[in-house]
Amino acid sequence: MKPTIFVTRRLPQPPLDRLAEVFDVSINPDNRVLLKQEVMDGVQGKDALLCLLTDAIDAEVMDAEPNLRVLSNYAVGYNNIDVQAATERKLPVTNTPGVLTDTSADLAFALILASARRIAEGDAFTRAGKFDGWGPLMMLGYDVYGKTLGILGMGRIGTAVAKRAQGFDMRVLYTNRSARPEAEQKYNAQKVDLETLLRESDYLSIHVPMSKETRHMIGAEQLAAMKPTAFLINTARGPIVDEAALVEALRSGSIAGAGLDVYEEEPKLAPGLAECENAVLIPHLGSATIETRTKMAQLAVENAIAVIEGRRPAHLVNPEVLDS
Ligand code: NAP
């Protein structure tokens, strides 16, 4: 008899075929996020769960099936899982880092360019038939090349954004818990405190994970410390930014604009955000390419298979459960 796995949403097919070689697979047939109760029903009698960042996996879900042996998350971020509760239950949690780094960095850079050069606004303007000829003062934006890029969280993705900034002759500043000598050497990046990062950045791009420490790390006070010509780019997680305070900063012009891929109460937007023309808003597309979503699925599948076959998975969030 094969072990059993519940997959909370359909993924690219080739990795699912691989999963079926090892597991008896049950998949949510609907193209929607499941309710918590539906996830709890889905895991019953299963050995493994393959879940997404849109599934909140707390102690109650874990206890719905005490024989669960692995939680394989289809994302690098794992703030949707109560990792402490999983560790207390000796339940390995895995994630999919690395394979989405460049794709996510490309998207962060796309938002820098789109917000500075008013790409989305210009597209809507042209489609609406409002373009009646070139104008010397029409839809002026801000330069990107030669400006200062501030990176909050110089991990895999932050470093990949710094790499891209080299092609735009940007000065790179960063704030991170630990120093990153390699990024300093390779990309001429300079480590500064958050206050300096806010004060000096023309583009501030967020790449820290969501945690108790990073929740509302950028609020009214931090936005007020930014230049009125600066842009805030968030492709990490919504709750890192106080979205109501951001709407206020965008409305009052205390910053020039924003490029957002993630939202505090996704998929809802804070009141007033959709009306801010100086914000480019996209629906959580950081890793959304065919190639990358397939690689993420392969990794999530192999992580689940490794645990079930008694091997160490490539990416384990709570190694203490296998080390103890
Ligand atoms: P990573 O390699 O772990 O990098 C995170 C960095 O943030 C690390 O360098 C870490 O520094 C730093 N950091 C953590 N907490 C901090 C704090 N309180 N203050 C300052 N620095 C802090 O992760 P990654 O692969 O780059 O991914 C980053 C995040 O991007 C993920 O957690 C995920 O939420 C998000 N993401 C979003 C999308 C999307 O679809 N929009 C796609 C991929 C990823 P230390 O190493 O010194 O702790």
Side-chain angles (χ1 to χ4, degrees):
M1 269 225 320
K2 283 180 179 175
T4 51
I5 190 164
F6 181 55
V7 181
T8 60
R9 196 129 174 210
R10 187 156 287 286
L11 304 177
Q13 192 57 44
L16 287 181
D17 293 341
R18 162 73 178 135
L19 195 66
E21 288 173 12
V22 176
F23 285 96
D24 186 351
V25 182
S26 309
I27 305 179
N28 162 21
D30 303 326
N31 186 23
R32 65 174 174 85
V33 178
L34 292 178
L35 300 171
K36 180 175 168 180
Q37 186 59 51
E38 292 173 311
V39 178
M40 289 168 64
D41 293 344
V43 293
Q44 271 173 31
K46 304 295 187 301
D47 297 295
L49 173 66
L50 199 158
C51 54
L52 316 181
L53 58 90
T54 43
D55 302 313
I57 309 297
D58 60 12
E60 207 183 346
V61 175
M62 297 172 205
D63 291 340
E65 179 44 70
N67 294 321
L68 265 180
R69 288 158 63 193
V70 57
L71 299 176
S72 173
N73 208 39
Y74 179 71
V76 59
Y78 45 83
N79 52 291
N80 57 306
I81 297 180
D82 184 341
V83 175
Q84 196 186 327
T87 305
E88 282 163 12
R89 288 158 180 75
K90 301 233 175 292
L91 191 50
V93 176
T94 65
N95 66 340
T96 63
V99 292
L100 40 53
T101 298
D102 285 305
T103 300
S104 305
D106 282 352
L107 188 90
F109 223 88
L111 281 177
I112 292 174
L113 290 167
S115 52
R117 300 303 303 273
R118 303 173 69 167
I119 302 291
E121 202 185 332
D123 180 84
F125 181 85
T126 308
R127 285 172 197 278
K130 293 181 185 166
F131 178 39
D132 58 3
W134 185 89
L137 298 179
M138 191 179 78
M139 222 171 261
L140 305 186
Y142 289 84
D143 280 329
V144 172
Y145 80 90
K147 294 288 184 70
T148 297
L149 171 66
I151 295 182
L152 179 53
M154 193 65 129
R156 284 170 294 245
I157 299 172
T159 304
V161 174
K163 180 181 179 185
R164 282 151 180 75
Q166 299 311 290
F168 286 76
D169 293 330
M170 296 179 92
R171 170 186 179 227
V172 178
L173 303 179
Y174 76 97
T175 298
N176 198 66
R177 273 198 300 229
S178 49
R180 296 283 183 223
E182 206 183 310
E184 291 178 19
Q185 210 177 27
K186 267 181 144 167
Y187 307 124
N188 216 10
Q190 188 191 342
K191 187 170 189 278
V192 294
D193 57 22
L194 182 58
E195 208 183 339
T196 309
L197 193 81
L198 294 164
R199 192 179 60 237
E200 299 209 4
S201 298
D202 297 303
Y203 300 92
L204 177 61
S205 193
I206 302 178
H207 301 287
V208 286
M210 174 56 201
S211 67
K212 278 200 281 298
E213 294 77 48
T214 61
R215 184 184 175 77
H216 281 195
M217 201 170 182
I218 303 296
E221 193 187 323
Q222 290 71 29
L223 290 161
M226 290 173 68
K227 297 179 189 180
T229 50
F231 289 81
L232 182 74
I233 310 298
N234 189 8
T235 59
R237 285 287 184 266
I240 298 165
V241 175
D242 177 344
E243 206 168 290
L246 176 61
V247 170
E248 195 42 47
L250 289 167
R251 272 186 182 150
S252 69
S254 86
I255 64 170
L260 304 179
D261 186 39
V262 288
Y263 304 90
E264 195 168 348
E265 289 187 32
E266 231 168 275
K268 280 193 275 178
L269 305 187
L273 183 59
E275 285 74 49
C276 292
E277 282 200 339
N278 51 352
V280 176
L281 309 176
I282 55 172
H284 207 146
L285 298 177
S287 63
T289 66
I290 294 165
E291 299 94 326
T292 290
R293 287 286 166 84
T294 302
K295 287 181 203 160
M296 287 166 64
Q298 281 162 349
L299 212 48
V301 161
E302 292 305 332
N303 282 335
I305 291 174
V307 175
I308 289 297
E309 291 184 344
R311 290 179 286 112
R312 198 178 181 85
H315 300 289
L316 186 57
V317 169
N318 50 353
E320 57 273 42
V321 298
L322 294 189
D323 293 340
S324 61

